[in-house]
Amino acid sequence: MTVRPPGWFEPLLARLGTARAEDFTRLTTPAEGGRESAVLVLLGEQPGVGPDVLVLQRAANLRNHAGQPAFPGGAADPEDADVRATALREANEEVGLDPGSVTVLAELPKLWIPVSDFVVTPVLAWWHDPHPVHPREPAEVAHVARLPVSELVDPANRMLVRHPSGWIGPAFSARGMLVWGFTAGVLATLLEMGGWARPWSRKRVVELPPSGATPAPSAGTDEVDETALR
């Protein structure tokens, strides 16, 4: 089922027509190698709230990316027809998302995450028929939330985070979640492209507690640079 997205999608879709990997990250995606994977960037809308995005939080005891916020998604399986199928399958397995409730709109450029050697394709979609979702495997997913765009772009909810490794990147605080790393970087770029971003202070830096995980450079920056941060 294909459903036409609301008008607020149009500026973002128009900008994505010319998007390159360089718009999201300084890292060059390797021409070969890397594990193919996909994430679902699912935008919906709630009455009285406006546009929102679906984000989950990884369980705290995972080997990789423990406790981190993320878009639903993961590595491709041999039976997946394409990256869209991967993103939808993973979202169903992780949070019970009904693929029939989603209209896929675009594939973003492939982005490389060096720490896991994943080559990730973010898949942008419109949640035309939203329904309740929840962690299907609590051992892997601790929490699921719909984060309003209005809260993500609120300057009071934007900051930089500094990882114990020294890496610094953009972050968002919304609905009790601190969104950082790869997910925050993709969100920061999409908010700019969609024309939703508001000016915010780069002077607020939050220290992340040691987690034992080496963070992947997020989209937008890998150091404090006023010309690169979004």
Side-chain angles (χ1 to χ4, degrees), residues 140-161:
E140 296 183 5
V141 179
H143 180 62
V144 185
R146 297 178 65 175
L147 305 183
V149 168
S150 61
E151 294 184 20
L152 293 172
V153 300
D154 185 337
N157 295 332
R158 298 202 65 173
M159 67 206 75
L160 301 176
V161 293

Side-chain angles (χ1 to χ4, degrees), residues 67-84:
Q68 288 190 22
F71 300 116
D77 281 351
E79 61 269 23
D80 292 339
D82 50 29
V83 292
R84 300 183 178 205

Side-chain angles (χ1 to χ4, degrees), residues 118-130:
F118 277 14
V119 176
V120 183
T121 302
V123 176
L124 181 69
W126 160 236
W127 201 1
H128 65 258
D129 189 17

Side-chain angles (χ1 to χ4, degrees), residues 28-42:
T28 300
T29 302
E32 297 181 355
R35 189 174 183 186
E36 193 78 21
S37 62
V39 295
L40 186 67
V41 184
L42 184 60

Side-chain angles (χ1 to χ4, degrees), residues 15-87:
R15 178 63 181 83
L16 286 175
T18 58
R20 306 170 303 162
E22 291 82 1
D23 296 320
F24 292 86
T25 180
R26 295 178 178 183
L27 298 173
T28 300
T29 302
E32 297 181 355
R35 189 174 183 186
E36 193 78 21
S37 62
V39 295
L40 186 67
V41 184
L42 184 60
L43 296 179
E45 187 170 17
Q46 300 183 66
V49 177
D52 60 23
V53 61
L54 185 69
V55 175
L56 58 82
Q57 187 165 15
R58 302 289 182 196
N61 58 350
L62 292 179
R63 178 180 300 177
N64 294 318
H65 309 300
Q68 288 190 22
F71 300 116
D77 281 351
E79 61 269 23
D80 292 339
D82 50 29
V83 292
R84 300 183 178 205
T86 297

Side-chain angles (χ1 to χ4, degrees), residues 32-214:
E32 297 181 355
R35 189 174 183 186
E36 193 78 21
S37 62
V39 295
L40 186 67
V41 184
L42 184 60
L43 296 179
E45 187 170 17
Q46 300 183 66
V49 177
D52 60 23
V53 61
L54 185 69
V55 175
L56 58 82
Q57 187 165 15
R58 302 289 182 196
N61 58 350
L62 292 179
R63 178 180 300 177
N64 294 318
H65 309 300
Q68 288 190 22
F71 300 116
D77 281 351
E79 61 269 23
D80 292 339
D82 50 29
V83 292
R84 300 183 178 205
T86 297
L88 292 173
R89 174 185 55 75
E90 285 283 339
N92 174 263
E93 293 176 358
E94 291 180 328
V95 303
L97 180 74
D98 176 9
S101 70
V102 172
T103 299
V104 173
L105 300 174
E107 296 175 17
L108 278 59
K110 294 180 181 293
L111 306 173
W112 182 44
I113 302 181
V115 65
S116 56
D117 197 28
F118 277 14
V119 176
V120 183
T121 302
V123 176
L124 181 69
W126 160 236
W127 201 1
H128 65 258
D129 189 17
H131 60 85
V133 290
H134 62 278
R136 293 189 67 180
E137 294 290 342
E140 296 183 5
V141 179
H143 180 62
V144 185
R146 297 178 65 175
L147 305 183
V149 168
S150 61
E151 294 184 20
L152 293 172
V153 300
D154 185 337
N157 295 332
R158 298 202 65 173
M159 67 206 75
L160 301 176
V161 293
R162 180 185 289 110
H163 190 273
S165 67
W167 171 89
I168 296 177
F172 302 85
S173 177
R175 301 294 166 107
M177 295 181 69
L178 178 64
V179 183
W180 61 284
F182 176 86
T183 303
V186 171
L187 275 177
T189 301
L190 292 178
L191 292 173
E192 289 283 352
M193 290 182 170
W196 298 312
R198 296 165 56 188
W200 57 284
S201 174
R202 275 68 168 174
K203 296 180 180 180
R204 182 184 178 194
V205 181
V206 174
E207 303 288 340
L208 285 174
S211 65
T214 302

